[in-house]
Amino acid sequence: MSNALLIHATGLGALALNVVALVCTCERTLRVRSGVAGMAWALNNLLMGANLAAALSVLGAGRTATSAVTLGAGRPRAIAFAAFAALTLAIGLLTWGGWASLLLVVASLLSTYALFHLTVRSLRWAMLAVSALWMFN
């Protein structure tokens, strides 16, 4: 399989996983499936040589899994949100590749906020906005 074909296949697979996640009615299932999609996006970005996007995708998968585990928890959820926001900023600074990188960091921060503070429709709308920002990768 050629590298270009593998890149397209992993991208389509990740997109399919995201769509399946967004149509789930269960909040926990949405988060778990989004985490799996995040790992697929990380592989896709790594294959394309987009290191910042790959790093943020791995962080995003961990963040999404953590948001699923901490559903309903007050203080641990707030601490996790702050930790993931700080990690997002740190990764953004360490892998800075110009002003286009800012869109990815903003997308990751918006996703972090959405996963820890939003539910149902507002979470899904935020995730769609995040997807639009990631298209600039």
Side-chain angles (χ1 to χ4, degrees):
M1 182 182 287
S2 74
N3 194 35
L5 185 59
L6 186 58
I7 289 170
H8 290 301
T10 57
L12 286 173
L15 178 62
L17 288 168
N18 270 127
V19 170
V20 168
L22 283 174
V23 298
C24 289
T25 56
C26 173
E27 292 296 312
R28 188 174 307 275
T29 303
L30 164 72
R31 287 168 168 80
V32 170
R33 288 183 181 171
S34 292
V36 173
M39 291 307 294
W41 283 119
L43 175 60
N44 179 258
N45 287 313
L46 192 61
L47 290 171
M48 289 191 301
N51 296 331
L52 171 60
L56 288 175
S57 292
V58 170
L59 178 68
R63 173 196 61 218
T64 305
T66 302
S67 77
V69 171
T70 60
L71 268 175
R75 186 166 167 83
R77 194 164 178 81
I79 292 169
F81 166 73
F84 279 105
L87 282 170
T88 298
L89 292 173
I91 287 173
L93 287 173
L94 291 172
T95 60
W96 185 258
W99 287 105
S101 299
L102 184 60
L103 288 174
L104 298 180
V105 172
V106 168
S108 190
L109 287 171
L110 176 58
S111 182
T112 301
Y113 177 81
L115 285 166
F116 286 100
H117 295 290
L118 301 179
T119 58
V120 194
R121 279 197 177 122
S122 56
L123 171 61
R124 284 155 179 80
W125 281 112
M127 297 307 277
L128 286 173
V130 166
S131 295
L133 287 172
W134 275 89
M135 287 183 177
F136 290 100
N137 178 22

